[in-house]
């Protein structure tokens, strides 16, 4: 079903960026990714602290994770916003 939407469903539809742009703006995706990463990073810091027992190491892990996962989430969100399945 997802493959149909990705491959077959978009054959004649070359203006998906235009439709995607009007359904949710990139700024909204950025705001959502920032708010989610704050929650996720706090979780990672707490788990890292529990596992390592070192707060400074936990914060280091959390800061690296904050940046990488925020970028990944932004692109993940933009891709899902262009898929018609389930809309």
């Amino acid at each position: 079903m997802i493959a149909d939407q990705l491959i077959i469903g978009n054959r004649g539809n070359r203006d998906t960026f235009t439709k995607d742009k009007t359904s949710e703006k990139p700024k909204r995706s950025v705001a959502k990714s920032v708010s989610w990463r704050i929650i996720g990073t706090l979780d990672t810091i707490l788990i890292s602290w529990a596992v390592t027992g070192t707060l400074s190491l936990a914060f280091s892990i959390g800061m690296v994770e904050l940046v990488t996962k925020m970028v990944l989430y932004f692109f993940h969100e933009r891709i899902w916003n262009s898929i018609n399945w389930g809309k």
Side-chain angles (χ1 to χ4, degrees), residues 43-62:
D43 178 57
T44 297
I45 290 169
L46 290 173
I47 292 169
S48 298
W49 187 20
V51 170
T52 66
T54 308
L55 192 55
S56 62
L57 182 57
F59 273 104
S60 296
I61 293 168

Side-chain angles (χ1 to χ4, degrees), residues 6-66:
L6 291 173
I7 298 167
I8 300 168
N10 284 331
R11 276 195 182 153
N13 193 1
R14 296 287 181 202
D15 62 341
T16 56
F17 177 75
T18 305
K19 286 179 12 182
D20 178 49
K21 187 176 167 186
T22 60
S23 65
E24 185 167 285
K25 296 185 186 322
K27 286 181 184 179
R28 179 178 163 89
S29 293
V30 169
K32 286 168 61 177
S33 66
V34 169
S35 67
W36 178 244
R37 283 320 321 144
I38 290 169
I39 294 167
T41 299
L42 289 174
D43 178 57
T44 297
I45 290 169
L46 290 173
I47 292 169
S48 298
W49 187 20
V51 170
T52 66
T54 308
L55 192 55
S56 62
L57 182 57
F59 273 104
S60 296
I61 293 168
M63 293 305 107
V64 170
E65 181 261 1
L66 170 68

